[in-house]
Amino acid sequence: MESNFEALAEAWPRILDGLWITLQLTLGGALLAMVIAVILGLGSRLRNIVLRGLCRAIMEFFRGTSLVVQLFFFFFVLPQLGLELPAMVCGILGLGLNYGAYAAEVVRGSINSVPTGQWEATTALSMSKSQQMIRVIFPQAWALMIPSLTNYLIHMLKGTAIVSFITLADLTYHTEQLREQTDTFFAYGVSLVIYFVIAYILTLVMNALEVRAKHRLGRGESLREALTPKTPETAAVEGGRKV
Amino acid sequence: MNGLWDWDAAWAVLPELLLAFVQVTLIVTVLSTAIAAVLGLFIAILRMSVPKPIAAVITFIGDFIRMTPIVVQLLFAYWTFLTVEPLTIGIVVFGIHYSTYMAEVYRAGIDSVPKGQWEATTALSMSKRRAWTAVIVPQALRATVPALGNYAISMFKDTPFLLTIGVVEMVRAGLTFGGNNFRYMEAITLAGVIFLLASYPTSLLISRLEKRLAYNY
């Protein structure tokens, strides 16, 4: 038991390096995925059938071919076509495109479920197309889409564990190294706990975003109110909301 | 050999990919889905029948399994049970991992059964066991069939993770071919095409099923 912790202390700086790679992939992939999701999600609502069909085809393509296949395509096949990308870029591209396609469906679905009255109101106020989307529709859809996006974010974090196959020394890779010095249970236990903690923090951040998004729509308490401990009196009035 | 796409290489690698598809990918998907479906239901019912603190522990374990990478879980099981066939480990780990998702689906399904149904089982003085098996579960399952299908598809697309424990599934077979022939293009592209051809029609079928089941209420 003693030697397990000694080995862990000795390997800790490397594990932190691996953790940094994992975080870079997760956050980089998430940003790319969000951009792709918004573009494809909005694109699949266009009236122009060619553009709409194109967006849907891209979505189905990246959803239907496995994440690992895409990662390996960027890493192994693109060099054969004369385009050699750094492994980190391959990783972020693969994760971002795959989960971007999934998230695009969420974006599309959430925008579609914003009540029709909101669209009619923007017309009544003679807002321009971009104003409609930016000021009225998207903020409401955003609050709806966060829970599903959180799921995909966790999936993305879990998906990064494969990147040692494209030469990136991530958290999983360094766990494998640690296993050689400690018992299996200890090494993977440490790794699973680290992944769980990251996933948990990401979930909390996304929940905070959701509270904020809802508050800005005038529904529910603000983030500060949600975070302050409630006295019995304030808790009684429905989570601090004024009745 | 320098062209963008080499049909000879494509024809050479295709049988290997299809063999891996049938021998590994399909088998893992089918067996693990079966494990996940049964175990998930068991977990969901267990969680509702035990005292709250124990239910909280079960929920935490479920969350832990669901929020940590299946790759690490596969490696963990692989190095812990060295004498067990990697394919078997893969089937069991996939089954357990996805059972935690399925448990959530079942929970939602069970919650969606109207409260009156429970009251009716009490009124008819049914035993707990009979209430579950004859009244609640059959109604809850209806709503969960499409979700089960969707998780089966997502498991299907996750099977390449098995290559981390040395199982020769499609992507591993493709990589080996690519490494031996210095051509990854055909092998990896074809693996992707096979995934797409198998998963896209299935997901269309499931969304049709979803609509049919939803409107019948």
Side-chain angles (χ1 to χ4, degrees):
Chain A
M1 203 55 187
E2 193 67 14
S3 68
N4 272 347
F5 284 103
E6 273 166 27
L8 176 63
E10 202 253 319
W12 192 246
R14 272 169 287 143
I15 290 182
L16 284 185
D17 287 344
L19 180 62
W20 176 230
I21 299 270
T22 297
L23 286 178
Q24 274 178 297
L25 282 164
T26 309
L27 299 178
L31 285 181
L32 178 63
M34 200 57 221
V35 173
I36 289 169
V38 170
I39 295 173
L40 290 182
L42 292 178
S44 59
R45 301 186 71 263
L46 289 174
R47 223 170 255 152
N48 182 328
I49 189 152
V50 178
L51 286 177
R52 191 177 66 216
L54 185 69
C55 287
R56 290 235 46 115
I58 296 174
M59 271 158 73
E60 294 302 345
F61 179 81
F62 282 103
R63 270 150 49 106
T65 57
S66 166
L67 166 70
V68 182
V69 174
Q70 288 158 29
L71 278 180
F72 287 2
F73 189 91
F74 290 123
F75 190 76
F76 291 106
V77 179
L78 286 189
Q80 199 184 311
L81 305 178
L83 181 64
E84 208 153 331
L85 298 170
M88 179 57 86
V89 176
C90 289
I92 291 179
L93 263 182
L95 290 162
L97 283 168
N98 189 260
Y99 287 105
Y102 281 102
E105 187 63 37
V106 176
V107 171
R108 191 184 67 89
S110 305
I111 289 177
N112 281 352
S113 52
V114 172
T116 3
Q118 299 291 327
W119 289 97
E120 289 161 3
T122 57
T123 315
L125 294 169
S126 60
M127 283 182 165
S128 71
K129 279 249 172 228
S130 57
Q131 268 183 324
Q132 280 182 354
M133 192 44 80
I134 295 169
R135 308 198 54 153
V136 179
I137 305 301
F138 198 83
Q140 298 185 56
W142 172 237
L144 290 174
M145 65 180 87
I146 293 176
S148 306
L149 294 182
T150 311
N151 281 339
Y152 286 127
L153 186 59
I154 305 298
H155 273 293
M156 173 128 49
L157 168 67
K158 298 195 298 179
T160 61
I162 191 83
V163 294
S164 56
F165 278 78
I166 58 167
T167 71
L168 288 174
D170 70 329
L171 185 53
T172 306
Y173 174 82
H174 285 296
T175 314
E176 284 280 274
Q177 305 292 306
L178 180 66
R179 195 203 67 237
E180 283 159 19
Q181 274 110 50
T182 63
D183 37 37
T184 312
F185 194 83
F186 181 81
Y188 288 110
V190 168
S191 164
L192 288 173
V193 168
I194 297 177
Y195 273 111
F196 181 71
V197 170
I198 307 172
Y200 204 79
I201 293 173
L202 288 177
T203 313
L204 288 180
V205 170
M206 292 300 279
N207 286 351
L209 277 182
E210 193 188 356
V211 169
R212 180 169 165 269
K214 280 190 176 156
H215 180 66
R216 294 181 63 162
L217 295 175
R219 297 178 213 141
E221 53 197 2
S222 74
L223 196 52
R224 184 171 300 172
E225 281 160 6
L227 290 176
T228 37
K230 289 177 187 60
T231 58
E233 299 89 74
T234 50
V237 284
E238 284 250 312
R241 211 181 312 159
K242 287 172 208 86
V243 194
Chain B
M1 273 303 263
N2 284 324
L4 199 61
W5 182 267
D6 180 354
W7 281 107
D8 291 338
W11 287 118
V13 74
L14 189 60
E16 289 178 36
L17 292 180
L18 288 176
L19 190 69
F21 178 74
V22 175
Q23 283 185 338
V24 177
T25 309
L26 273 190
I27 289 185
V28 171
T29 309
V30 171
L31 293 183
S32 302
T33 304
I35 294 176
V38 176
L39 190 62
L41 183 60
F42 178 73
I43 296 171
I45 295 179
L46 186 70
R47 216 162 50 182
M48 290 182 173
S49 333
V50 293
K52 274 227 169 108
I54 303 177
V57 172
I58 299 174
T59 308
F60 177 78
I61 296 172
D63 284 350
F64 192 88
I65 295 177
R66 200 150 32 93
M67 287 164 85
T68 49
I70 196 160
V71 170
V72 181
Q73 292 165 8
L74 283 169
L75 288 166
F76 192 173
Y78 176 75
W79 289 107
T80 310
F81 306 104
L82 276 171
T83 50
V84 183
E85 208 44 33
L87 186 62
T88 315
I89 288 188
I91 292 169
V92 174
V93 171
F94 266 90
I96 293 176
H97 189 87
Y98 274 90
S99 74
T100 59
Y101 284 96
M102 285 313 303
E104 292 298 314
V105 175
Y106 286 124
R107 186 183 57 82
I110 293 169
D111 283 345
S112 74
V113 174
K115 213 171 137 226
Q117 300 289 322
W118 280 106
E119 291 162 2
T121 62
T122 316
L124 294 169
S125 59
M126 281 184 173
S127 68
K128 261 262 165 231
R129 197 195 158 80
R130 202 163 143 64
W132 276 112
T133 54
V135 180
I136 306 302
V137 170
Q139 296 184 71
L141 280 188
R142 232 184 117 76
T144 56
V145 172
L148 186 83
N150 283 330
Y151 280 122
I153 295 179
S154 105
M155 192 189 299
F156 171 67
K157 285 179 285 192
D158 275 356
T159 51
F161 286 143
L162 286 171
L163 66 85
T164 52
I165 56 168
V167 175
V168 185
E169 44 62 65
M170 264 202 290
V171 176
R172 178 65 140 210
L175 282 187
T176 310
F177 180 91
N180 291 339
N181 299 281
F182 303 106
R183 284 203 68 94
Y184 288 102
M185 177 75 177
E186 293 78 12
I188 297 192
T189 310
L190 281 176
V193 170
I194 295 175
F195 270 112
L196 187 64
L197 287 181
S199 68
Y200 185 57
T202 320
S203 71
L204 284 184
L205 275 179
I206 289 171
S207 62
R208 280 190 58 179
L209 183 71
E210 198 165 10
K211 276 179 197 132
R212 262 188 58 182
L213 287 178
Y215 285 152
N216 270 356
Y217 267 108

